[in-house]
Amino acid sequence: MEKVAETWVTAPKRVEKSLRDACLVHIYPTGPNMGNRYPLHGGPVVLGRGEDCEIQVEEHSVSRRHARIELGPDGYFVADLQSTNGSFVNDLPVTTARLNDGDYLRVGNCIYRFLCGGNLESEYHEEIYRLTIIDALTGIDNQRSMLEFLDREMSRSGRHNRPLALLMMDIDHFKNVNDEFGHLGGDFALRELASVVKTLIRKEDLFARYGGEEFSVVLVESSHEHAREVAERIRAAVAGHQFLFDGKPMPLTVSVGVTFTCGDPTVSVTELVRRADEQLYLAKAQGRNRVCG
């Protein structure tokens, strides 16, 4: 019998069986929807604000019919439906693109993780755990992870009398960024700043989003002088970076507070953070775009 050539029509039936459990996991914004799993079942599935969308997104940055996901010959594809704010896969703008296991899909202000691995249930629970320690918007550690790391390193510092430093930094005039560029611009600023700063951090240290527009860096076995040098490199790198949103310059600076301990058993995690915050507020009061501590 003559073999029938596989076509767009017949191929999905074969692929769909292996991908039947594929899903999107809502990872941003945080809130009641975080961690929600949306099965795809081969699609097509439309994301948008419209009531007729299979995945309805209550978010003004999302168009009424924003993007469509459906099964193609060799996997799932996403197509932007001429949305106002565009669709992005792993932060790259797309018109049509194949989704690979673990990809991040951003529609408007919302971010989803595409999962289609062999053990989807295990992957899903790993993703939920990841959401407890990683900031979904910037991809760096979150406040919980940072405080746990700082607690461990302070215990080690106390046992061995080793130096430890903490930086707290804040984007200057961030409200003006949101007012001028909108929340999409504000999210871009946070993501871009994180990508600039993390290139300056050693692998043994920890860089985290502490909350809102505030970030922190824990510097292991770092002298006070070295901590100030790192803080100044970060300040200069942010001030010198060209932030462009929709082709429009977005000048950003940060203020940084520095504090230090050398195994003092009387200093708690809370106290060290308080001291760093005090220096951060001093930097703000002295004119911003500077390092104090």
Side-chain angles (χ1 to χ4, degrees):
M1 181 180 294
E2 184 180 354
K3 186 177 179 180
V4 178
E6 189 172 69
T7 66
W8 178 273
V9 175
T10 61
K13 295 177 182 178
R14 174 180 58 78
V15 179
E16 188 174 1
K17 185 176 181 181
S18 64
L19 298 176
R20 63 184 180 275
D21 294 327
C23 68
L24 293 180
V25 180
H26 179 108
I27 65 173
Y28 187 83
T30 56
N33 289 326
M34 191 172 75
N36 277 2
R37 175 164 49 177
Y38 300 97
L40 297 177
H41 299 309
V45 171
V46 175
L47 296 85
R49 286 188 295 109
E51 294 181 1
D52 59 336
C53 294
E54 285 75 17
I55 300 179
Q56 192 172 4
V57 187
E58 298 292 341
E59 173 69 42
H60 290 303
S61 62
V62 175
S63 298
R64 293 190 62 81
R65 291 176 62 84
H66 196 109
R68 181 179 64 248
I69 298 173
E70 59 185 322
L71 196 60
D74 56 349
Y76 280 95
F77 287 76
V78 60
D80 183 74
L81 301 179
Q82 297 183 322
S83 63
T84 300
N85 292 313
S87 299
F88 299 78
V89 175
N90 300 328
D91 270 340
L92 296 175
V94 298
T95 302
T96 303
R98 186 176 186 274
L99 292 172
N100 296 304
D101 189 29
D103 278 351
Y104 292 92
L105 170 64
R106 177 158 55 92
V107 293
N109 200 39
C110 298
I111 304 174
Y112 298 85
R113 189 97 185 264
F114 174 72
L115 298 178
C116 67
N119 190 343
L120 194 69
E121 198 64 28
S122 173
E123 284 195 18
Y124 173 69
H125 288 292
E126 285 178 11
E127 180 65 19
I128 296 304
Y129 171 71
R130 197 189 68 84
L131 288 175
T132 68
I133 62 172
I134 299 295
D135 175 63
L137 178 65
T138 60
I140 62 176
D141 287 71
N142 62 15
Q143 183 187 107
R144 170 183 167 175
S145 178
M146 171 266 182
L147 291 174
E148 290 176 352
F149 181 85
L150 183 59
D151 185 55
R152 290 193 302 272
E153 290 302 322
M154 287 187 70
S155 296
R156 193 169 71 90
S157 172
R159 285 195 306 271
H160 304 292
N161 290 323
R162 303 301 297 170
L164 181 71
L166 174 65
L167 314 182
M168 298 295 286
M169 70 186 80
D170 191 85
I171 299 178
D172 298 324
H173 302 297
F174 189 66
K175 183 180 182 300
N176 293 346
V177 173
N178 279 325
D179 288 345
E180 182 175 355
F181 295 92
H183 289 292
L184 283 176
D187 282 356
F188 162 81
L190 295 169
R191 284 195 307 272
E192 186 77 358
L193 182 140
S195 70
V196 170
V197 174
K198 66 185 179 184
T199 63
L200 305 174
I201 307 301
R202 302 176 303 182
K203 63 180 181 180
E204 61 265 35
D205 300 328
L206 186 128
F207 174 43
R209 183 182 177 192
Y210 195 74
E213 65 271 27
E214 192 170 7
F215 295 82
S216 59
V217 181
V218 181
L219 297 170
V220 177
E221 299 200 6
S222 172
S223 67
H224 195 182
E225 181 182 5
H226 175 257
R228 281 192 57 89
E229 290 173 357
V230 173
E232 180 57 33
R233 282 203 299 270
I234 290 171
R235 185 209 63 77
V238 173
H241 184 75
Q242 186 176 34
F243 293 84
L244 285 174
F245 181 71
D246 280 348
K248 185 177 179 182
M250 178 193 286
L252 289 182
T253 61
V254 292
S255 299
V256 189
V258 181
T259 194
F260 166 84
T261 183
C262 197
D264 185 347
T266 66
V267 178
S268 66
V269 169
T270 301
E271 174 64 13
L272 199 69
V273 172
R274 186 192 66 78
R275 291 181 183 180
D277 267 333
E278 276 188 354
Q279 295 302 319
L280 170 60
Y281 296 140
L282 183 60
K284 294 279 193 184
Q286 291 183 356
R288 297 179 171 84
N289 189 24
R290 65 191 62 223
V291 174
C292 282

